[in-house]
Amino acid sequence: MHTLPRDGLALSSLDEQLLLPGTKGLPITEPLRQGAVGVQGWNVLRGDTSFPVAVLKTSALQHNLAWMQAFCARHGVTLAPHGKTTMSPQLFAAQLANGAWGITLASATQVQVAHRFNVRRVLLANQLVARADIAAVLALLHADPDFECFVLADSLEGVALLAAARASHALARPLPVLVELGLHGKRAGCRSPEQALAVARAVAAAEGLALAGFEGYEGLLVSQDRDADLRAVRAFLAELVDLVETADAEGLFGAAEILLSAGGSSYFDLVARGFAGIDGLSRPVRAVLRSGCYLTSDHGSYQRLLAQLDAREAHADGLRPALEVWSSVQSRPEPGLAILTMGKRDASYDETLPAPLFMHRPGSAANAPSVLPPGCEIVKMNDQHAYLRLPEGAIRAALQVGDLVGCGISHPCTTFDKWPVLLAVDDAYHVTQALNTFF
Amino acid sequence: MHTLPRDGLALSSLDEQLLLPGTKGLPITEPLRQGAVGVQGWNVLRGDTSFPVAVLKTSALQHNLAWMQAFCARHGVTLAPHGKTTMSPQLFAAQLANGAWGITLASATQVQVAHRFNVRRVLLANQLVARADIAAVLALLHADPDFECFVLADSLEGVALLAAARASHALARPLPVLVELGLHGKRAGCRSPEQALAVARAVAAAEGLALAGFEGYEGLLVSQDRDADLRAVRAFLAELVDLVETADAEGLFGAAEILLSAGGSSYFDLVARGFAGIDGLSRPVRAVLRSGCYLTSDHGSYQRLLAQLDAREAHADGLRPALEVWSSVQSRPEPGLAILTMGKRDASYDETLPAPLFMHRPGSAANAPSVLPPGCEIVKMNDQHAYLRLPEGAIRAALQVGDLVGCGISHPCTTFDKWPVLLAVDDAYHVTQALNTFF
């Protein structure tokens, strides 16, 4: 068997790897050392890359990293951003360098990827139930005594699976478990505080497990009645706080501090406020936000929800969209229709279709892209094609085969997972770096 | 610069690579040589793998490969299956070993991947317009004189882009171009035979380009009126045949044979019949089908369309679904609801949601999974969760946290692209091999 270094790989190992021809977005005909991407002089607007190409605007990423660090400092909350959004070691490192306490993840294999790249603390915000997956997490904790990983349970059966695996394992320390509180009619999680307490008691009683806190996910509360959503979010957070106080009074916690975690990317301001000011417990309480999409924001569903958050926070300068997918016009078969070299394999389509923002003609004198006029809309995507509907007007004559179109996306998670390599660009679309994802 | 072997890599290079912990589906805690996957003794039903895991049933793949080879022999047509479906070198090799003439692909980077793994003939069934992408294809053709790649054009602008790139390139042979005929209101392709002939004349006149044939895609003709769909497909095929005859009468073709290509995965029987019996032209005509999804079929949209094809062909033993995604029940929060460890990152959701087929309890004495009762339905997926609705009845008590659920999928293309590695299994779900994808 080959072994990996116990304390993970430095990011420089990614710079040393060879990117191969056939990597989406890269205009290479021979293998290229990844660290050399930034010195190739590629510019997206000049048409130097392969198309489609996914780009991350560095200025927006930096703004969002600083914005969130300031937000957490202002509210006294801890950030463990959801890494499933990007699964990018370079972006994990940027988040950790900008104040994140750990990385939240969704599966055992994601935990293995993060550990490989030297993430030292993980919140696995899913029930861990499959035998090989429990074994994988225990193996990491055993091989690397300084690595921390918190897991969830929401049932006595789940606790029993964890306890049985733990009992037959040589791991010297307890496995820290958060109990998940859920919402009626929604996803996982106990449906009442009583059920959650019963699970918490089972965790506390199990040999080799330690109750480390409670967790919930309020982000599913999105309906047409936004006032009702906000009331429901606040009530859910209050229930979580009550649970922590009750469990502490019962002496169920078994770690140095109590974790209390919630917070998708739509309501983390409410979470920060809802978790503020808990004191008088047996040990410190750490309020952990898990937003993943703050890093890139988007041009769709999160942009709308974050605008509401900005209004609540009275922020003039909120999170900025950082992720775009650029493709070529490959066909102009009808006056009102352009077909782009981009499809379901390249951009999200689960919330809304991509938002066409810009056009640019490679070789033109313009050093910035033109903003597309209102009415331009992606109306459909196939696997490898997008249908861009063009309104009446000058755009119909202006947009030619070979032109480039830049699209914003809605729901960054389902775009990141389509790109093994994304390209970081400056505001002039010069390519500065390659960023990897591991899905 | 590092160079790749000109004639591509053997598949054995994939067997030699190390799979790393964190690869979805794999239950490994140390790197594992890929070629050793089949001798680990893993069984999916026994819960040996990580979950979710994507599996391909070898018996169904073999049946489908033989079925399609016999179909093409019976109809006298050539197969260049669409490789964008799987992007798997091992599956490309299986298709080529079972009579495929070449592989169809959708982008220049896909062509580079196929060439890397020794595919020798590619039909790039998209317009090739971006500078770096044209250059990538020309570079492959230049470096490897025995490699063949046909590309599409549907506009004079597209022909001009190809001709300009070709004119400044050292490539010694002409670039073979197919002209794409399209459908009103649909995707790319000339909207009339007159337009297509104008593009064909431009190709024939361009230095360094050769008109190699005509191409169309009838698979978009799916409406509620199936009789009208079939009439429209037949009319479209007749239009393509007319185009070939007219272009030949004008002396526009510039290659040893004429390619005439259509055929998604829904109507390839009609294409085979529609292209039969063309003769009396200046050179042989090769009718090329491009179906990609025949290889795995599915449990959704293609299964329905292929059942209609079977009826037209009077086949009792049609194509079989080969692809399943298995996950764990991670939560049973309400009597009628199970939450699975599978989501939008793991299974298609663009046509219909996955079809829950089987359940199995790891460690149970049963050596085959139980068929789930009618009424079980995946009603929603988030990024990493599926919501399995359970009907009234015994299933509500039977399904526990930790149980495994096997799902069929609809639209294989958008499941393959979520799995860097899929596991081939026999009918008892023993893992026999790892298969790679390169998206």
Side-chain angles (χ1 to χ4, degrees):
Chain A
M1 295 292 259
H2 307 257
T3 54
L4 292 170
R6 183 166 99 171
D7 59 352
L9 291 174
L11 294 180
S12 58
S13 67
L14 292 171
D15 282 343
E16 293 307 317
Q17 76 179 352
L18 289 178
L19 296 170
L20 297 182
T23 305
K24 286 202 308 176
L26 296 185
I28 56 176
T29 56
E30 297 290 344
L32 176 68
R33 202 179 64 87
Q34 180 167 321
V37 163
V39 297
Q40 301 299 306
W42 295 334
N43 184 285
V44 173
L45 299 183
R46 210 160 52 213
D48 293 334
T49 62
S50 174
F51 291 89
V53 62
V55 302
L56 282 166
K57 290 181 155 169
T58 310
S59 60
L61 288 178
Q62 285 169 343
H63 169 86
N64 295 345
L65 286 163
W67 188 102
M68 193 54 136
Q69 185 163 22
F71 175 93
C72 291
R74 196 161 65 242
H75 286 280
V77 292
T78 291
L79 182 65
H82 213 317
K84 61 128 189 183
T85 298
T86 72
M87 284 308 292
S88 171
Q90 292 94 346
L91 294 175
F92 292 174
Q95 292 174 308
L96 292 166
N98 285 269
W101 168 82
I103 300 289
T104 296
L105 293 164
S107 69
T109 50
Q110 290 183 354
V111 176
Q112 291 177 309
V113 169
H115 181 268
R116 194 197 317 163
F117 292 104
N118 221 2
V119 172
R120 310 302 301 148
R121 188 184 288 117
V122 166
L123 199 171
L124 174 48
N126 253 15
Q127 331 300 318
L128 180 65
V129 295
R131 178 163 50 81
D133 291 315
I134 300 175
V137 169
L138 294 178
L140 287 180
L141 293 170
H142 182 62
D144 185 352
D146 298 325
F147 178 66
E148 291 183 76
C149 182
F150 301 84
V151 306
L152 299 193
D154 74 350
S155 67
L156 299 178
E157 294 78 6
V159 174
L161 289 168
L162 292 174
R166 182 63 189 74
S168 63
H169 199 278
L171 180 62
R173 48 188 167 137
L175 177 67
V177 179
L178 307 183
V179 174
E180 181 168 23
L181 183 69
L183 290 156
H184 282 286
K186 300 293 182 184
R187 207 162 70 184
C190 299
R191 290 303 193 252
S192 71
E194 294 70 30
Q195 285 174 19
L197 273 173
V199 176
R201 290 183 194 116
V203 172
E207 191 79 28
L209 306 183
L211 183 68
F214 288 87
E215 183 268 1
Y217 178 53
E218 80 299 332
L220 299 162
L221 290 164
V222 180
S223 74
Q224 296 306 310
D225 184 346
R226 299 297 290 142
D227 287 338
D229 292 343
L230 300 187
R231 282 194 304 275
V233 169
R234 292 191 180 100
F236 180 64
L237 298 170
E239 220 167 44
L240 278 166
V241 172
D242 283 349
L243 260 178
V244 164
E245 292 172 345
T246 306
D248 191 57
E250 280 196 35
L252 299 180
F253 290 113
E257 58 184 14
I258 298 167
L259 298 192
L260 179 53
S261 176
S265 296
S266 310
Y267 305 116
F268 52 80
D269 59 322
L270 301 183
V271 175
R273 290 207 184 80
F275 287 173
I278 307 171
D279 58 13
L281 301 193
S282 67
R283 59 204 82 197
V285 176
R286 183 181 291 278
V288 180
L289 304 189
R290 304 194 307 273
S291 168
C293 296
Y294 81 90
L295 182 60
T296 60
S297 184
D298 71 11
H299 285 93
S301 47
Y302 280 115
Q303 192 175 43
R304 288 187 289 276
L305 292 163
L306 288 167
Q308 297 172 11
L309 188 154
D310 284 339
R312 292 194 297 269
E313 284 279 299
H315 259 293
D317 190 15
L319 295 166
R320 298 180 191 164
L323 177 58
E324 296 172 4
V325 178
W326 283 75
S327 60
S328 302
V329 175
Q330 64 164 301
S331 181
R332 285 297 326 274
E334 298 177 10
L337 180 64
I339 303 294
L340 309 181
T341 58
M342 169 184 91
K344 293 179 187 173
R345 257 72 185 277
D346 310 303
S348 309
Y349 51 90
D350 55 325
E351 301 281 343
T352 60
L353 290 171
L357 304 173
F358 305 117
M359 65 166 283
H360 191 77
R361 182 160 304 154
S364 79
N367 56 9
S370 309
V371 175
L372 284 168
C376 290
E377 187 187 2
I378 305 279
V379 294
K380 182 178 177 174
M381 291 204 294
N382 298 146
D383 286 356
Q384 316 275 166
H385 301 79
Y387 298 64
L388 172 59
R389 191 62 65 188
L390 304 173
E392 300 270 359
I395 185 64
R396 294 191 173 190
L399 195 66
Q400 294 180 7
V401 167
D403 285 349
L404 304 176
V405 171
C407 287
I409 57 88
S410 181
H411 194 194
C413 303
T414 47
T415 292
F416 273 103
D417 61 16
K418 303 179 199 311
W419 293 90
V421 172
L422 295 94
L423 297 180
V425 296
D426 66 16
D427 289 347
Y429 290 90
H430 291 300
V431 175
T432 58
Q433 188 189 350
L435 301 172
N436 306 88
T437 70
F438 292 88
F439 285 97
Chain B
M1 294 295 259
H2 307 257
T3 55
L4 292 169
R6 181 167 101 171
D7 58 351
L9 290 174
L11 294 179
S12 58
S13 68
L14 292 171
D15 281 344
E16 292 307 318
Q17 75 178 354
L18 289 178
L19 296 170
L20 297 182
T23 306
K24 286 203 308 177
L26 296 185
I28 56 176
T29 56
E30 298 289 345
L32 176 69
R33 201 178 65 86
Q34 179 166 321
V37 163
V39 297
Q40 300 298 306
W42 295 333
N43 184 285
V44 173
L45 299 183
R46 210 161 51 214
D48 293 335
T49 62
S50 174
F51 291 90
V53 62
V55 302
L56 281 167
K57 291 182 154 168
T58 310
S59 61
L61 289 177
Q62 285 170 344
H63 170 86
N64 295 345
L65 287 164
W67 188 103
M68 192 54 138
Q69 186 164 22
F71 174 94
C72 290
R74 197 161 63 241
H75 287 280
V77 291
T78 291
L79 182 65
H82 213 316
K84 60 125 189 185
T85 298
T86 72
M87 284 309 291
S88 171
Q90 292 95 346
L91 295 175
F92 291 174
Q95 292 174 308
L96 292 166
N98 284 270
W101 169 81
I103 300 289
T104 296
L105 292 164
S107 68
T109 52
Q110 291 183 354
V111 176
Q112 290 177 310
V113 169
H115 182 267
R116 193 195 321 161
F117 293 103
N118 219 3
V119 172
R120 309 302 301 149
R121 186 184 289 118
V122 166
L123 199 170
L124 175 48
N126 254 15
Q127 330 300 317
L128 180 64
V129 295
R131 178 164 49 81
D133 292 315
I134 300 174
V137 169
L138 294 178
L140 287 180
L141 293 169
H142 183 62
D144 184 353
D146 298 325
F147 177 67
E148 291 183 75
C149 182
F150 301 84
V151 305
L152 300 193
D154 75 350
S155 67
L156 299 178
E157 294 78 7
V159 174
L161 289 168
L162 292 174
R166 181 64 190 74
S168 63
H169 199 280
L171 179 64
R173 49 189 167 136
L175 176 67
V177 179
L178 308 182
V179 173
E180 182 167 23
L181 183 69
L183 290 155
H184 282 285
K186 300 293 182 186
R187 205 162 70 185
C190 298
R191 290 305 194 250
S192 71
E194 294 69 32
Q195 285 175 16
L197 274 173
V199 176
R201 289 182 194 117
V203 172
E207 189 80 29
L209 306 183
L211 183 68
F214 288 87
E215 184 269 0
Y217 178 53
E218 80 298 335
L220 299 162
L221 290 164
V222 180
S223 74
Q224 295 306 311
D225 184 345
R226 300 297 290 143
D227 287 339
D229 292 342
L230 301 187
R231 281 194 304 276
V233 169
R234 291 189 180 101
F236 180 64
L237 299 169
E239 219 166 46
L240 277 166
V241 171
D242 283 349
L243 260 177
V244 165
E245 292 172 343
T246 306
D248 191 58
E250 280 196 34
L252 298 180
F253 290 112
E257 56 185 14
I258 298 167
L259 298 193
L260 179 54
S261 176
S265 295
S266 310
Y267 304 116
F268 52 81
D269 60 321
L270 302 183
V271 175
R273 290 206 185 82
F275 288 172
I278 307 171
D279 59 13
L281 301 195
S282 66
R283 58 203 83 197
V285 175
R286 183 181 291 278
V288 180
L289 304 189
R290 302 195 307 273
S291 169
C293 296
Y294 82 90
L295 182 60
T296 61
S297 184
D298 71 10
H299 285 93
S301 48
Y302 280 115
Q303 194 175 40
R304 288 187 289 276
L305 292 163
L306 287 167
Q308 297 172 12
L309 187 153
D310 284 339
R312 292 193 297 267
E313 283 280 297
H315 259 291
D317 189 16
L319 295 167
R320 299 180 189 163
L323 176 57
E324 296 172 4
V325 178
W326 284 74
S327 60
S328 303
V329 176
Q330 64 163 300
S331 180
R332 284 297 326 275
E334 298 177 11
L337 180 64
I339 303 294
L340 308 181
T341 59
M342 168 184 92
K344 293 179 188 173
R345 257 74 184 274
D346 310 303
S348 309
Y349 51 91
D350 54 324
E351 300 281 344
T352 61
L353 290 171
L357 304 173
F358 304 117
M359 63 166 284
H360 191 77
R361 182 159 304 153
S364 79
N367 58 8
S370 309
V371 175
L372 284 169
C376 290
E377 189 187 0
I378 305 278
V379 294
K380 182 177 178 177
M381 290 204 295
N382 297 146
D383 286 357
Q384 316 275 166
H385 301 78
Y387 298 64
L388 172 58
R389 191 62 65 188
L390 304 172
E392 300 269 359
I395 184 64
R396 293 192 174 190
L399 196 64
Q400 294 180 6
V401 168
D403 285 349
L404 303 177
V405 171
C407 288
I409 56 90
S410 182
H411 195 195
C413 303
T414 48
T415 293
F416 273 103
D417 61 17
K418 303 179 198 312
W419 293 90
V421 172
L422 296 94
L423 297 180
V425 296
D426 67 17
D427 289 348
Y429 290 91
H430 291 301
V431 175
T432 57
Q433 189 189 349
L435 301 172
N436 306 88
T437 70
F438 292 87
F439 285 98

